[in-house]
């Protein structure tokens, strides 16, 4: 963005960090400097000829020759010595890898891992990272059993196996990963590490932001658990693998864990397949249609005032009673499979997640994020399906929304990546899911040396696709407009591996069960082009699969979700 005075030789240029910290940043700076030189030369020539150096009308500040001179090579020379922000000092990093300490063995008998989890979903802290929709994004699934170390964050304090410890949750995570650091010589994504989640509310603390909303939940703000036994399924081959932690005090324990895993597989049988329901659960919402549309209007005014460009506005739905937690998840994975699905058993709370959005993946030093923006419902016939896809792909509002989020995500990655390495190899690709179409982009970069899990979370979390841009100010605005704490919704679920690899989703299409209630968060991106009634209807489209899975009986005063 730029300004130029109509009369005086005054210019203003705003360079966004998300542009300057990319591979084209040097070229942008070089072009600006070249334009400045050209303007100075014009003014000097005018003075020598006795003419006024003050322009009387707007005119170009940069010639075609000057623009042509701004090549990547000259840009790099102009910006030599420039460095990106230093990142997060004082964060623990992953040290030199130590010897392999995990016994990894293929199981003699293989069945779908979802069958195996049916036997253990009720056990303490059992977790299922479920690639229910299989494909390039969902080749492996992981079950974690027998927790050995649980790290939690509650109200800004860190806990280790339930006991409060000094320091931050992120530093405790980095230390635990460093203590257990080991190479992964297999093709499996994870053989040792921690599985868990970080809530959106915990992420507000990374920006020193308070909230006006009380949490009112027994769930911790964040939790990652190390397990003695991981069972991994390779969907491409159908092979199951047991990854058992070795214990120097008991040399045979890892072998017994492998045998336990094989025993589970032997006992596993095909679970019942839930029938598709034609109705949706009754729910109450903290923001009904009138309230949500009014909040959208206020956000649009904030955009017109220049306080935000795009903001994700959410509302909370609450379903009374409903099915048992794992019954609801079984329905979800059957009828709305997703590549980043998950089921978490927290004892007093349970999470059923059917997310299709990857927040952050690290593989061998390459870091990737895949923001999603833009939604249309699937059609009831092939022609309607094609019409919905085409409408999404040609929507100027949805495309601009995704572009702004991509710039934000690129900026966040640049805080922890090597200079100039952040790129967008795929932009605005349409992906089809059971009930919706989405527009998706891919942003990637090369991670700087020494960037551990804590540094990555501090630099990038919460994801830009579920906050807005600029991130911090937008988070302040939406906190004032939303009626409830988001909790886990729009946080992340996934794993932190002991070899430094990471895979985390964005917690959308997720229901959290506590007591006799289910909580669902739904929302959407708001821009200056948003239509309030359309944005409200889109939240119902996004809630459809979850409300079908819950399908609680209706009662007076409860709204019933309509099919979109």
């Amino acid at each position: 963005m730029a300004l130029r005075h109509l009369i005086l030789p005054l210019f203003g240029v705003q360079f966004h960090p998300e542009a300057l910290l990319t591979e084209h940043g040097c070229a942008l700076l070089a072009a600006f400097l070249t334009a400045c030189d050209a303007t100075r030369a014009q003014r000097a020539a005018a003075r020598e000829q006795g003419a006024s150096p003050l322009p009387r009308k707007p005119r170009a500040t940069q010639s075609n020759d000057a623009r042509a001179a701004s090549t990547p090579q000259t840009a790099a020379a102009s910006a030599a010595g420039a460095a990106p922000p230093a990142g997060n000092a004082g964060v623990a990093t992953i040290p030199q890898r130590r010897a392999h300490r995990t016994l990894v063995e293929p199981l003699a008998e293989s069945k779908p891992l979802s069958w195996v989890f049916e036997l253990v979903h009720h056990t303490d802290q059992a977790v299922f990272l479920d690639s229910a929709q299989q494909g390039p994004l969902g080749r492996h699934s992981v079950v974690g059993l027998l927790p050995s170390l649980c790290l939690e964050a509650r109200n800004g304090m860190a806990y280790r196996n339930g006991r409060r410890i000094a320091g931050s949750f992120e530093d405790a995570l980095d230390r635990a990963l460093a203590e257990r650091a080991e190479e992964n010589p297999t093709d499996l994504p994870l053989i040792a590490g921690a599985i868990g989640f970080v809530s959106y509310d915990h992420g507000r603390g990374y920006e020193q932001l308070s909230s006006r909303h009380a949490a009112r939940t027994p769930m911790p703000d964040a939790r990652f658990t190390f397990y003695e036994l991981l069972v991994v399924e390779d969907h491409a081959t159908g092979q199951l693998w047991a990854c058992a932690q070795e214990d120097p005090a008991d040399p045979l324990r890892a072998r017994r864990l492998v045998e336990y895993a094989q025993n589970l597989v032997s006992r596993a049988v095909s679970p019942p397949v839930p029938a598709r329901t034609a109705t949706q659960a009754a729910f109450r919402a903290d923001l009904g249609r009138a309230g949500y549309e009014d909040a959208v209007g206020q956000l649009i005014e904030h955009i017109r005032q220049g306080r935000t460009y795009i903001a994700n506005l959410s509302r909370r739905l609450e379903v009374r009673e409903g099915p048992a937690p794992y019954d609801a998840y079984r329905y979800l994975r059957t009828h709305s499979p997703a590549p980043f699905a998950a089921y978490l058993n927290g004892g007093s709370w349970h999470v059923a997640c059917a997310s299709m959005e990857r927040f952050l993946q690290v593989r061998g030093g390459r870091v990737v994020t895949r923001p999603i923006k833009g939604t249309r419902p699937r059609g009831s016939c092939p022609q309607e399906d094609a019409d919905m896809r085409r409408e999404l792909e040609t929507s100027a509002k949805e495309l601009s929304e995704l572009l702004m989020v991509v710039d934000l995500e690129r900026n966040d990655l640049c805080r922890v990546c090597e200079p100039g390495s952040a790129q967008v190899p795929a932009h605005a690709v349409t992906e089809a899911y059971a009930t919706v179409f989405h527009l998706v982009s891919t942003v990637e970069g090369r991670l700087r040396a020494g960037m551990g899990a804590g540094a990555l979370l501090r630099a990038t979390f919460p994801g830009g696709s579920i906050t807005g841009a600029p991130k911090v100010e937008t988070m302040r605005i939406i906190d004032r407009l939303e009626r409830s704490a988001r909790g886990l919704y729009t946080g992340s679920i996934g794993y932190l591996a002991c070899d430094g690899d990471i895979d985390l989703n964005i917690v959308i299409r997720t229901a959290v069960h506590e007591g006799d209630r289910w909580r669902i968060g739904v929302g959407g991106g708001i821009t200056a082009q948003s239509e309030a009634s359309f944005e409200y209807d889109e939240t119902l489209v996004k809630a459809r699969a979850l409300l079908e899975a819950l399908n609680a009986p209706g009662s007076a005063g409860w709204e019933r979700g309509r099919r979109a």
Side-chain angles (χ1 to χ4, degrees):
M1 285 185 260
L3 295 173
R4 181 179 182 182
H5 198 284
L6 289 175
I7 303 298
L8 300 176
L10 299 177
F11 305 85
V13 178
Q14 178 184 8
F15 288 112
H16 284 223
E18 55 264 33
L20 283 183
L21 294 178
T22 68
E23 68 271 25
H24 304 299
C26 293
L28 287 171
L29 287 174
F32 174 69
L33 295 173
T34 301
C36 291
D37 290 340
T39 301
R40 290 193 190 98
Q42 291 172 4
R43 292 170 60 192
R47 281 194 296 269
E48 289 177 3
Q49 296 171 7
S52 169
L54 303 183
R56 295 299 175 184
K57 62 180 180 179
R59 60 188 180 189
T61 61
Q62 183 178 10
S63 68
N64 290 333
D65 290 341
R67 282 193 293 270
S70 179
T71 64
Q73 290 79 12
T74 58
S78 299
N88 299 287
V91 176
T93 58
I94 296 177
Q96 181 69 31
R97 304 288 185 250
R98 296 188 295 194
H100 190 68
R101 298 185 299 141
T102 303
L103 176 62
V104 181
E105 286 200 359
L107 297 182
E109 184 180 7
S110 289
K111 297 176 183 177
L113 193 54
S114 59
W115 297 14
V116 177
F117 195 66
E118 291 278 341
L119 298 172
V120 295
H121 67 77
H122 61 282
T123 61
D124 180 40
Q125 295 190 51
V127 63
F128 187 13
L129 300 184
D130 182 14
S131 294
Q133 184 186 52
Q134 295 150 29
L137 297 177
R139 176 172 172 174
H140 296 91
S141 294
V142 182
V143 164
L145 298 171
L146 305 175
S148 60
L149 172 62
C150 178
L151 297 173
E152 291 183 339
R154 293 180 182 271
N155 301 316
M157 294 175 286
Y159 294 83
R160 180 185 177 101
N161 288 339
R163 300 185 63 180
R164 185 177 170 184
I165 57 176
S168 71
F169 170 74
E170 290 71 25
D171 288 347
L173 261 183
D174 282 333
R175 284 193 301 270
L177 289 166
E179 291 165 359
R180 293 159 176 77
E182 64 174 284
E183 297 289 353
N184 177 1
T186 76
D187 292 331
L188 302 178
L190 173 70
I191 62 171
I195 300 176
F197 68 89
V198 183
S199 70
Y200 173 84
D201 296 333
H202 182 76
R204 293 180 61 84
Y206 293 147
E207 302 295 347
Q208 289 77 51
L209 294 176
S210 59
S211 174
R212 72 186 184 97
H213 306 294
R216 298 193 182 94
T217 173
M219 289 185 69
D221 300 318
R223 171 192 276 186
F224 274 92
T225 302
F226 293 82
Y227 293 88
E228 290 190 67
L229 176 64
L230 302 177
V231 184
V232 183
E233 179 179 12
D234 185 339
H235 294 289
T237 64
Q239 180 65 55
L240 290 180
W241 298 79
C243 306
Q245 297 304 299
E246 296 178 347
D247 183 355
D250 185 356
L252 297 179
R253 178 160 178 77
R255 174 60 54 193
R256 291 197 299 269
L257 290 172
V258 172
E259 292 172 355
Y260 169 66
Q262 186 63 74
N263 178 263
L264 287 175
V265 176
S266 299
R267 293 165 47 208
V269 297
S270 176
V273 178
R276 185 71 182 261
T277 179
T279 58
Q280 299 179 33
F283 65 86
R284 280 180 175 162
D286 60 354
L287 274 173
R289 178 179 287 275
Y292 192 81
E293 291 183 3
D294 178 67
V296 170
Q298 293 184 57
L299 264 179
I300 291 173
E301 184 58 32
H302 283 301
I303 293 170
R304 288 173 177 158
Q305 294 173 2
R307 297 187 60 197
T308 180
Y309 310 131
I310 175 177
N312 187 282
L313 180 68
S314 73
R315 64 191 191 115
R316 172 180 287 185
L317 313 183
E318 187 178 273
V319 173
R320 185 170 59 189
E321 298 174 354
Y326 196 71
D327 290 343
Y329 181 70
R330 189 188 296 114
Y331 182 97
L332 269 182
R333 77 175 312 276
T334 302
H335 298 292
S336 297
F340 305 107
Y343 182 82
L344 282 66
N345 182 346
S348 60
W349 49 265
H350 301 80
V351 176
C353 172
S355 174
M356 63 284 293
E357 183 169 357
R358 168 174 277 149
F359 168 50
L360 207 63
Q361 181 193 51
V362 177
R363 283 282 183 279
R366 177 176 172 266
V367 58
V368 175
T369 185
R370 299 183 75 252
I372 288 177
K373 277 296 166 192
T375 305
R376 289 296 185 278
R378 297 297 301 268
S380 58
C381 65
Q383 183 58 52
E384 187 177 330
D385 219 33
D387 291 344
M388 289 293 99
R389 177 190 284 266
R390 184 163 48 254
E391 181 181 308
L392 176 62
E393 293 173 341
T394 57
S395 169
K397 181 261 183 185
E398 308 287 17
L399 291 168
S400 63
E401 184 179 335
L402 180 59
L403 180 61
M404 286 186 282
V405 171
V406 165
D407 277 345
L408 172 60
E409 299 282 25
R410 190 167 54 176
N411 175 59
D412 283 352
L413 287 191
C414 284
R415 298 167 69 182
V416 289
C417 285
E418 294 179 4
S421 70
Q423 299 179 355
V424 184
H427 179 58
V429 177
T430 304
E431 292 185 353
Y433 297 92
T435 59
V436 294
F437 289 112
H438 281 308
L439 289 178
V440 187
S441 292
T442 300
V443 187
E444 63 179 38
R446 291 190 307 276
L447 202 61
R448 294 207 308 270
M451 291 291 110
L456 275 170
L457 288 173
R458 289 182 173 108
T460 61
F461 188 82
S465 66
I466 45 75
T467 54
K471 183 187 284 189
V472 176
E473 179 60 18
T474 303
M475 290 173 70
R476 292 192 182 101
I477 293 171
I478 59 181
D479 187 70
R480 289 194 288 270
L481 294 177
E482 293 175 353
R483 298 286 179 84
S484 306
R486 289 190 178 185
L488 180 59
Y489 172 62
T490 64
S492 288
I493 297 171
Y495 68 77
L496 312 173
C498 289
D499 66 343
D501 286 354
I502 294 171
D503 209 349
L504 299 169
N505 73 4
I506 291 283
V507 178
I508 53 177
R509 310 301 193 275
T510 298
V512 177
H513 183 264
E514 296 173 326
D516 64 346
R517 295 289 189 271
W518 287 92
R519 289 184 289 105
I520 299 171
V522 287
I526 310 301
T527 72
Q529 297 172 299
S530 288
E531 239 179 74
S533 61
F534 177 88
E535 298 298 343
Y536 176 83
D537 289 341
E538 185 175 300
T539 67
L540 295 178
V541 170
K542 292 175 178 177
R544 171 182 162 184
L546 293 166
L547 293 174
E548 282 185 4
L550 302 184
N551 195 23
S555 61
W558 291 64
E559 178 182 1
R560 183 164 294 282
R562 61 175 178 80
R563 294 183 70 88

